[in-house]
Amino acid sequence: MSTARHEEFDVVVVGGGPAGSTLATLVALRGHRVLLLEKETFPRYQIGESLLPSTIHGICRLLGVTGELADAGFPHKRGGTFRWGSNPTPWNFAFSVSSKVAGPTSFAYQVERSRFDKILLDNAARKGADVRQNHTVTDVVEDGDGRVSGLRYTGPDGTAGEVSARYVVDASGNTSRIGKRVGGSRQYSDFFRSLALFGYFENGKRLPPPNSGNILCVAFSHGWFWYIPLSDTLTSVGAVVRREEAAKVQGDPEAAMRTLVGECPLIDEYLAGATRVTTGQYGKLRVRKDYSYHHTKFWRPGMVLVGDAACFVDPVFSSGVHLATYSALLAARSINSVLAGTTGEQRAFGEFEARYRREYGVFYEFLTSFYDMHIDEDSYFWSAKKVTKSSHTELESFVELVAGMSSTDFDLSDTESGVLRLKRRSAEFAEAVDTLVGEREENMAPLFRSTVVRDAMQAGSQVQTRAQLGADAGEEVPVFDGGLVASSDGLSWHEPGPDR
Ligand code: FAD
């Protein structure tokens, strides 16, 4: 009988998507021994192509891939164009205060994930992580004291291996099998419960410049479409509809896509001269459902969840890769601090969990407001997306997620205060969009003044500033009373006061 290979590392990461690669790189940069196991061979397909500026100018700068991303020629995204809300005219959400003039960091990229994810994974290897593709993690290992102490995997030739590590990081995405070993459970959202059907087209129409790289989101009676330019000619197109349409959509996706496009005049117009891609990685229509959830625990001694393994809200505002890479940054800071012996585990991971929950909660509220703003009283899809229709369990789950973090940001004591808060913030956001459309969108100030938008941008711009300026960014203010702050290089935590 062959004996399983046994190795020892400081950290072992499961999954080489944006969350896994980010974490592996940021821990390897502090000189720790990191192993990353990825079950596929890259490049591999993944959805999630529209990014936010803080990922590009914040986290990717810390990773050291700014130049490589610029050379990759990904389309520049100045923001989003929305046919959404009470006004029939499409409006722009620009990442800069003026929709006409973009600052040097007020753009993101629209990326082919197969290329983007490979850039991040190859970079992790270059920065010192031991990256092994075609390795599938099968289980985690615990010591006798309730601590996770390693994992088991199957290698490319079917041989089994075992790794011992101070930390196991689950970054294996929405299909995570080992995530449940952190304890707690996955809670699915009713409010965001939908189904996405998506494919790729050549030669679709483009928005007029300077917004031709924008994501276009178009609400229609059955839900909404995304339309993402991935090159001059290639477009990612997806319809988000009711989960109840699953049998119809999965039974004949081709017919379902044709019908949905036909029911959405703007997307129909944009695809009028386009042909669907039918070969290669983009050759088939895909369906995703049950993608909106959060795990009730994000860590336990020796194990931490990041990215989609922990939570995902909804595709509408491109928050997936942001939450994945941001959570990886927070977890990397905690791991680096504990391994350096400067912060206790409970304190370091308490900061990780509180900040991660806060960011998830902030996006949850923002996206709830986004849906709540659109009015189509005759539509099943849109009537279910009203804050006032949220189920008791949904709101309880939200309140449990974000409350009790000793932060004044989420001053929620019960479900009722949760509903009131969501209602107030949704109304304020809808009003900001109406003002923006009324002012002919020359300037984004009304949007950036609304609390849900301000909150959604806050953590990202903080990461961006630290990545750009390092020590010159000055001392960070703790997010929570008595909480920790980031070191000047952004890679670990320390107590408020001078960075030692
Ligand atoms: P992943 O990218 O899923 O990576 C996980 C990796 O783990 C994979 O490479 C997988 O092969 C590997 N793995 C899995 N199991 C194992 C195992 N047992 N052993 C070893 N390796 C394993 N986000 C955006 O930012 N913008 C968008 O426009 C957007 N659109 C979306 C549209 C839809 C319909 C959906 C459902 C999501 C969308 N997202 C979007 C979200 C985005 O896809 C995810 O948030 C993001 O990919 C999460 O990154 P991750 O690294 O956590 O996981």
Side-chain angles (χ1 to χ4, degrees), residues 192-478:
F192 291 105
R193 191 168 180 264
S194 301
L195 171 149
L197 167 68
F198 45 101
Y200 294 81
F201 291 79
E202 275 292 339
N203 298 316
K205 194 175 153 179
R206 290 286 174 262
L207 286 160
N211 296 320
S212 47
N214 275 14
I215 182 172
L216 169 66
C217 293
V218 184
F220 71 119
S221 60
H222 291 283
W224 64 275
F225 266 98
W226 76 71
Y227 190 94
I228 302 173
L230 293 177
S231 75
D232 287 346
T233 58
L234 181 67
T235 311
S236 164
V237 181
V240 174
V241 296
R242 292 168 71 219
R243 170 72 167 74
E244 288 72 13
E245 314 270 347
K248 198 166 82 196
V249 169
Q250 283 171 309
D252 190 347
E254 305 278 342
M257 186 57 119
R258 273 194 306 274
T259 309
L260 290 167
V261 170
E263 283 164 351
C264 184
L266 192 58
I267 295 296
D268 201 24
E269 178 201 322
Y270 269 62
L271 289 178
T275 38
R276 197 165 74 69
V277 180
T278 51
T279 55
Q281 64 165 328
Y282 298 131
K284 62 176 182 191
L285 292 173
R286 292 177 163 93
V287 173
R288 286 278 299 271
K289 50 186 198 267
D290 300 327
Y291 47 67
S292 187
Y293 55 79
H294 71 271
H295 206 90
T296 54
K297 284 184 75 176
F298 286 173
W299 76 281
R300 71 179 269 202
M303 180 173 183
V304 56
L305 307 188
V306 290
D308 276 13
C311 58
F312 177 63
V313 193
D314 188 86
V316 79
F317 201 76
S318 316
S319 57
V321 175
H322 162 68
L323 283 170
T325 51
Y326 179 68
S327 60
L329 168 68
L330 298 178
R333 285 177 183 169
S334 301
I335 290 171
N336 285 335
S337 307
V338 177
L339 292 182
T342 53
T343 314
E345 184 173 75
Q346 183 67 43
R347 182 141 172 77
F349 283 90
E351 186 71 33
F352 152 80
E353 173 142 12
R355 288 200 192 207
Y356 193 6
R357 282 182 187 280
R358 181 187 183 280
E359 195 65 356
Y360 182 85
V362 154
F363 272 91
Y364 180 100
E365 279 195 330
F366 177 41
L367 303 185
T368 311
S369 306
F370 222 96
Y371 276 105
D372 193 54
M373 168 180 57
H374 191 74
I375 300 154
D376 184 346
E377 273 153 15
D378 301 328
S379 155
Y380 281 118
F381 181 89
W382 290 104
S383 61
K385 303 283 184 247
K386 294 275 124 205
V387 169
T388 39
K389 293 272 173 68
S390 287
S391 73
H392 197 71
T393 340
E394 173 87 26
L395 289 159
E396 263 177 2
S397 186
F398 169 69
V399 171
E400 266 166 35
L401 176 80
V402 296
M405 297 193 306
S406 68
S407 154
T408 48
D409 294 351
F410 288 102
D411 187 16
L412 302 179
S413 45
D414 51 28
T415 313
E416 204 181 329
S417 60
V419 180
L420 286 174
R421 179 186 162 99
L422 287 174
K423 272 204 222 162
R424 197 179 60 240
R425 294 191 149 217
S426 295
E428 192 200 59
F429 179 62
E431 205 180 302
V433 170
D434 284 345
T435 312
L436 181 81
V437 175
E439 287 180 4
R440 296 166 158 280
E441 51 183 89
E442 288 290 325
N443 111 47
M444 293 290 124
L447 269 194
F448 289 127
R449 270 198 299 269
S450 89
T451 34
V452 280
V453 175
R454 239 184 16 228
D455 285 354
M457 299 295 147
Q458 193 193 357
S461 26
Q462 206 174 44
V463 169
Q464 209 165 310
T465 309
R466 185 142 301 277
Q468 303 279 333
L469 300 178
D472 292 340
E475 179 68 11
E476 202 182 278
V477 178

Side-chain angles (χ1 to χ4, degrees), residues 34-56:
V34 182
L35 172 67
L36 185 154
L37 301 174
E38 162 58 53
K39 75 171 178 192
E40 308 262 352
T41 303
F42 280 30
R44 59 92 176 88
Y45 175 84
Q46 177 58 291
I47 190 63
E49 295 140 334
S50 196
L51 306 185
L52 293 179
S54 63
T55 305
I56 301 305

